Amino acid sequence: MHTTTVPVSQIDPFDETVLADPYPAHRELRDLGAVVWLERYRVWGMARHEQVEAALNDPQTFCSARGVGLSDFHKEKPWRPPSLLLEADPPDHTRARHTITQVLSPVAVRGLREAFTAEASALFDRLAGRTAIDGVRDIAEAFPLTVFPDVVGLPPDGREHLLPYGGLVFNGFGPRNRLFLDALARAEHARDWIAAHCRRENLADGGLGAQIHRTAAAEGYTAADAALLVRSFLSAGVDTTVHGIGNALLCLAENPDQFRVLRADPTQARKAFEETIRYESPVQTFFRTTTRDVDVAGATIPAGEKVLLFLAAANRDPRRWEAADTYDITRKASGHVGFGFGVHACVGQMLARLEGEIVLTELARRAEAIELAGPPKRQLSNTLRGLDSLPLSVAWV
Amino acid sequence: MPKITYVSADGDLHVVDVPIGTSVMRGAVGTGIDGIVAECGGNAMCATCHVYVPAEHAASLPEMTAVEDEMLECTVAERRATSRLSCQLRITEGLDGLVVRLPEAQE
């Protein structure tokens, strides 16, 4: 049982009104204490940067193998076979991670710059002349949904299954609420397609998917486990990047002064994307499970308990950030936990940064100004923060 | 607090008191030293906190992990025998007086 000194909160982090605007709840949770008890789900929560980062950096105590969602894999059967990467602990995780990092190294990602730039250029060529666009469909989805499947080596047909599958994965970390059930229904056909396209025979030679199969075989993984490693790519590589780019477009439309800074110097694009990950973190939360009784800032969390880490709240913690609620592309955003931290830090983060940088560079070169042409429509998810649509009016150069 | 000296590629010296338990990278990022980018925030994933540690200080450093070794193959500036990722250099009392040289480029 939890100690009496730990503040109790009735906040439901997965309630749709909270998901639509999580920041007031995040502030309340941060101010309540370094650790809080979330009565609604009977789990612990941490929302301050210091404790979130420390927990992420201590995988021996805050483990992932019992699931990084609300569901405890020791007590419930996971809805899909666990990930060898996300839902694993060292030393198993270390081996899986090494297999993937070989394929996604900074050098490998740098090698994609030219092709991605050409693709972004072609995309903006097609948009030029249209003053009214949907920032989500026309840019934030269009770009990653082309370059990512190309790079992985997926065939052209069936790519429409990627977003519903990612939607299911990320809703699956929350409770079995309406959002999860809707995502499950939407992904009905996606699950089989994804499973099939994690297999070597459905992945083009030379693509990252085929490379993972090769490095996995060299590490001694079976073909079935290699397919699970590819599944991590297809689960985590699309929705997150789409939301990162979409959120960046929203931030820049809502902060014209920041767009002017970017427009004056398009080399700031990478920083603008980084600041977006801090300020409007696409991945808002992840759970861990304690492996032992652990003291956190004077409170004792017993072994075997779920702990909800509010990454997005940590990224706006005024104890860590000056003007935390201000979108400022010139700030040093390094140190945010939007890509996680420690051994489970997003393995595709350099690829995500490249995609974000290239899209925003191209936008800054070609648009004089962007502004909202209507209210943005939120896409609610138990884990992700992003948009369904973003009506923009663009003044092209 | 241990004192760490950062020598820029131009030869400028910055001496910083860096708290125990943090890293050589944090000591630079926290004080606005430009030559260390640390894009990934300290996860040995971006190779943009590359430093050269003069041989006479090598003995005081933590051993290099396989992950750091692999990531050092991805630095923009030349990898040398003295190359380390500063995010992997955890600050201990033993690092007091450490000198690190910053490469000409990180990204």
Side-chain angles (χ1 to χ4, degrees):
Chain A
M1 276 291 94
H2 62 89
T3 44
T4 51
T5 52
V6 173
V8 173
S9 172
Q10 303 299 328
I11 285 175
D12 176 357
F14 304 105
D15 178 89
E16 292 188 22
T17 54
V18 173
L19 292 171
D21 179 17
Y23 300 117
H26 288 176
R27 186 176 309 118
E28 193 177 322
L29 291 168
R30 275 193 312 259
D31 290 346
L32 265 177
V35 184
V36 298
W37 174 255
L38 298 165
E39 184 61 33
R40 174 72 178 77
Y41 299 102
R42 305 192 63 74
V43 298
W44 307 77
M46 299 184 198
R48 294 183 186 172
H49 187 276
E50 184 184 341
Q51 282 77 31
V52 169
E53 187 192 77
L56 291 170
N57 207 22
D58 183 3
Q60 279 79 31
T61 305
F62 296 93
C63 82
S64 293
R66 289 169 72 165
V68 296
L70 178 62
S71 170
D72 183 346
F73 292 179
H74 279 196
K75 298 173 184 164
E76 290 177 277
K77 187 177 181 301
W79 68 270
R80 62 172 192 171
S83 163
L84 300 178
L85 208 56
L86 185 73
E87 293 152 340
D89 294 322
D92 298 343
H93 168 268
T94 314
R95 183 166 155 247
R97 176 127 181 147
H98 176 67
T99 304
I100 304 264
T101 51
Q102 294 173 63
V103 171
L104 281 176
S105 75
V107 168
V109 171
R110 258 178 240 146
L112 300 171
R113 176 176 289 274
E114 206 177 320
F116 281 18
T117 302
E119 192 57 53
S121 183
L123 172 71
F124 278 89
D125 280 349
R126 291 195 294 274
L127 291 178
R130 286 175 52 196
T131 53
I133 65 166
D134 177 355
V136 172
R137 194 187 56 234
D138 295 330
I139 299 176
E141 289 184 358
F143 185 71
L145 275 179
T146 304
V147 296
F148 184 82
D150 280 355
V151 139
V152 171
L154 294 170
D157 289 338
R159 293 177 175 190
E160 69 279 6
H161 293 306
L162 287 166
L163 287 177
Y165 186 72
L168 174 59
V169 169
F170 283 99
N171 274 298
F173 299 129
R176 299 296 172 254
N177 55 9
R178 189 186 69 91
L179 292 172
F180 175 74
L181 296 175
D182 285 357
L184 198 57
R186 263 199 311 277
E188 192 192 342
H189 303 295
R191 295 170 70 177
D192 287 343
W193 188 87
I194 294 288
H197 288 82
C198 292
R199 292 201 294 269
R200 176 63 188 88
E201 64 267 29
N202 291 319
L203 293 160
D205 294 344
L208 294 183
Q211 288 179 46
I212 288 171
H213 274 277
R214 194 166 57 241
T215 55
E219 294 284 335
Y221 283 103
T222 63
D225 280 351
L228 273 184
L229 291 171
V230 174
R231 195 191 67 182
S232 292
F233 260 65
L234 305 187
S235 307
V238 193
D239 295 56
T240 48
T241 320
V242 166
H243 288 329
I245 295 171
N247 292 353
L249 296 174
L250 174 64
C251 289
L252 291 167
E254 285 186 327
N255 296 276
D257 59 320
Q258 294 301 303
F259 185 76
R260 277 193 294 275
V261 172
L262 176 62
R263 167 91 185 122
D265 179 8
T267 67
Q268 298 292 307
R270 202 168 170 97
K271 291 195 71 174
F273 188 67
E274 201 70 44
E275 170 67 346
T276 304
I277 305 303
R278 181 197 73 83
Y279 179 82
E280 284 277 34
S281 309
V283 178
Q284 294 268 301
T285 50
F286 268 131
F287 284 88
R288 293 290 189 264
T289 310
T290 51
T291 57
R292 60 176 177 89
D293 295 358
V294 55
D295 287 334
V296 179
T300 303
I301 305 178
E305 297 274 302
K306 281 280 172 180
V307 183
L308 181 52
L309 303 177
F310 291 86
L311 311 181
N315 289 341
R316 287 184 179 221
D317 182 358
R319 295 160 193 80
R320 168 65 177 76
W321 307 96
E322 268 175 52
D325 288 321
T326 303
Y327 182 72
D328 174 5
I329 70 168
T330 65
R331 83 161 74 226
K332 222 174 182 106
S334 165
H336 70 73
V337 291
F339 287 117
F341 193 82
V343 298
H344 287 283
C346 172
V347 73
Q349 59 180 280
M350 298 307 281
L351 185 60
R353 284 192 180 96
L354 183 70
E355 291 183 48
E357 176 196 346
I358 285 174
V359 167
L360 296 183
T361 302
E362 207 60 31
L363 177 74
R365 286 197 182 124
R366 294 177 183 240
E368 202 79 64
I370 60 169
E371 53 183 64
L372 287 179
K377 189 163 174 272
R378 284 248 149 246
Q379 183 180 104
L380 297 185
S381 157
N382 283 327
T383 300
L384 298 179
R385 180 160 178 79
L387 299 169
D388 251 343
S389 68
L390 176 62
L392 290 176
S393 121
V394 184
W396 301 106
V397 175
Chain B
M1 259 187 252
K3 281 190 194 309
I4 309 292
T5 301
Y6 301 84
V7 186
S8 78
D10 297 334
D12 295 341
L13 294 186
H14 294 268
V15 183
V16 182
D17 293 317
V18 189
I20 285 173
T22 65
S23 66
V24 172
M25 176 277 279
R26 288 282 167 99
V29 170
T31 45
I33 293 171
D34 284 339
I36 290 182
V37 176
E39 195 167 51
C40 80
N43 291 300
M45 292 206 60
C46 66
T48 65
C49 67
H50 180 202
V51 296
Y52 301 116
V53 183
E56 61 267 32
H57 293 277
S60 59
L61 299 180
E63 246 181 79
M64 187 183 295
T65 63
V67 170
E68 181 183 348
D69 189 24
E70 195 171 85
M71 199 53 51
L72 279 167
E73 292 300 319
C74 299
T75 56
V76 171
E78 174 201 11
R79 179 178 183 175
R80 300 177 197 155
T82 56
S83 287
R84 295 297 303 256
L85 291 184
S86 57
C87 73
Q88 301 300 300
L89 304 179
R90 199 179 159 84
I91 302 289
T92 58
E93 286 292 357
L95 281 198
D96 187 36
L98 179 74
V99 176
V100 299
R101 293 180 183 279
L102 310 185
E104 287 194 355
Q106 295 281 10
E107 41 180 2

